[in-house]
Amino acid sequence: MQRISITIDDDLLAAIDALSQRRGYSSRSEAVRDIVRESLVKEAEAGAEDGPCVAALSYVYQHGTRELSKRLTSVQHDHHDLSVSTLHVHLSNADCLEVTVLKGNAGEVRAFADAVTSQRGVRHGHLNVIPAGDGDEHADGDGHTHPHR
Ligand code: NI
């Protein structure tokens, strides 16, 4: 075991304590270890899929954070071949919500998502990957199928 020290917002710490109490952890350390393990499992599962996909990436950020808007825009331009469209919502005085629709290889889509969500000041990053094959044809309730893209 190693001992590390981390810096954390008051709000986030309160949320960890609340979750820790709800789930009955004996200490913050145990709660944080389990949260990290869950996250690693989720990432390993997600990383197992590859190939063509469409994906929706959503995240919240503070537009006032120094240079963040500019950095996010340049990440988008670096991956212009993946980015289909971005919806921007001004959530409050401070916060913006963006939803980007991506299309391409799942590995590249994930790398794009990581480049965005790992930026300092970006919160609630979530990537929903949909294998491209799923959208080519689908059955409606009445049993007929129609191709679409
Ligand atoms: Ni905004």
Side-chain angles (χ1 to χ4, degrees):
M1 285 259 198
Q2 304 246 3
R3 179 180 291 267
I4 58 164
S5 81
I6 58 170
T7 309
I8 198 164
D9 301 349
D10 293 352
D11 291 355
L12 194 53
L13 185 58
I16 290 172
D17 285 344
L19 179 136
S20 175
Q21 193 157 31
R22 237 181 8 253
R23 293 192 185 170
Y25 288 114
S26 55
S27 69
R28 274 179 184 157
S29 290
E30 190 50 39
V32 170
R33 280 195 291 269
D34 258 12
I35 291 165
V36 171
R37 280 187 205 109
E38 281 171 16
S39 169
L40 290 173
V41 167
K42 220 179 265 177
E43 182 160 304
E45 284 170 2
E49 315 150 22
D50 206 9
C53 75
V54 290
L57 171 67
S58 55
Y59 52 94
V60 172
Y61 70 97
Q62 297 191 313
H63 67 84
T65 301
R66 215 168 75 84
E67 301 281 293
L68 181 55
S69 300
K70 224 188 266 179
R71 270 183 285 140
L72 290 174
T73 304
S74 89
V75 173
Q76 297 262 4
H77 279 278
D78 289 349
H79 299 85
H80 60 88
D81 49 325
L82 293 177
S83 173
V84 177
S85 181
T86 296
L87 168 73
H88 183 106
V89 179
H90 310 301
L91 279 187
S92 68
N93 286 343
D95 288 327
C96 302
L97 165 70
E98 285 191 346
V99 181
T100 297
V101 175
L102 300 162
K103 190 174 181 185
N105 182 273
E108 288 166 37
V109 162
R110 255 181 224 104
F112 176 102
D114 289 342
V116 169
T117 57
S118 63
Q119 297 282 335
R120 189 195 178 115
V122 173
R123 287 137 43 223
H124 303 295
H126 181 77
L127 179 69
N128 187 19
V129 176
I130 300 155
D134 285 8
D136 290 348
E137 200 174 2
H138 74 158
D140 288 337
D142 60 4
H144 83 274
T145 62
H146 61 98
H148 66 123
R149 4 204 110 239

